[in-house]
Amino acid sequence: MSKWIWLVLLVLVTVIVVGSRGTALNGLFQQRPSPAIVERIPVETLQPKPESQSVNIALQVSADKLLAHIQKLDFQRYTTIERSRTRTYITTELQKLGWKPHLERFAEGVNIFAERLGTDKAAGAILVAAHYDTVAFSPGADDNASGVSVVLEVARLLASYPTPRTLQLAFFDQEEAGLLGSKAFVAKTARLQNLRGVIVMDMVGYACYTTGCQQYPVALPVTPPSDKGDFLAVVGDTEHLPLLSAFQNSQTNPSTALNKRELNLPAVLTLPIPLKGLLAPDTLRSDHAPFWYQGVGAVLVTDTANLRTPHYHQPSDIPATIERSFFTGAAQIIVNATTNLLESSNVLETQPNNE
């Protein structure tokens, strides 16, 4: 089936298509050279932020802590030794925060899993995850130290924050080798029975603010939302629209935020994918996809990867290319959405009146 046909179908589900990360949508989107960027320039959001309940000051992300993790992970995480070194860092950080991480070995690698029980067992669990490996020759600051950093920040903020739902954390190995870590994770089907939703971060730290620096698919049958790369994209399946809605309603700063400039939250553009990606197979190449196959609602949160950054899978993907304001805002949006999902007992499957 042609790309035009399935893109039209996406329009019929009333979404704005913005794409996903490079490995997730590399075949769907044509990779083009990106123009030079202007770093660290605060921008106005693309659209008015919807009203939403503010989060507690205790749940305000720390830009310094986020960037410190990326600095600590400033090395290639490709070989067995390098990935072991990465696991040591992640597990040590989790233990400092009071978590009890577990190593889960599979044939090609090792995942890291941790859990903080909720107050209502029947409410189920929300999993927050990111892959920690890189391709060869890239230190992967954006891909995917940025995602790992956000999971660690979620771990810090919510370690002792009681919620009805259980909070689970996962750090997947060997994503770059074919989603091997997340496939191994979902193979333990018993653990999926209590899982209500999954949030996967894969490249959430890069932004560009010059006209034309954001690329889009060829023959996109909708008007692009922006010619700048200053938004956060969230990809989910149409069977779990309330999970996507949690991100549409997560753009309010903590009411007592000490530094509003630090928390200049970017716009969020959501992309619901119908039929578990059957008509858009290139949207399945990231760690959310194995959960879709198992009928579990999952979203991929991304800065759109090679559609925006010229550093995708390159040696130049270093901490200096992370855009601090955008990255901090993206992390706050993820924390807000995660907190809202943990505090709610709402069903996350799409109901007939939502279709």
Side-chain angles (χ1 to χ4, degrees), residues 175-189:
E175 185 270 352
E176 300 288 4
L179 317 183
L180 302 183
S182 52
K183 288 177 179 177
F185 187 90
V186 302
K188 299 181 179 181
T189 55

Side-chain angles (χ1 to χ4, degrees), residues 57 90 113 122 203 208 298 312:
I57 182 61
I90 292 171
F113 178 76
M203 303 183 67
C208 59
Y312 172 67

Side-chain angles (χ1 to χ4, degrees), residues 100 117 164:
K100 296 180 180 179
L117 295 178

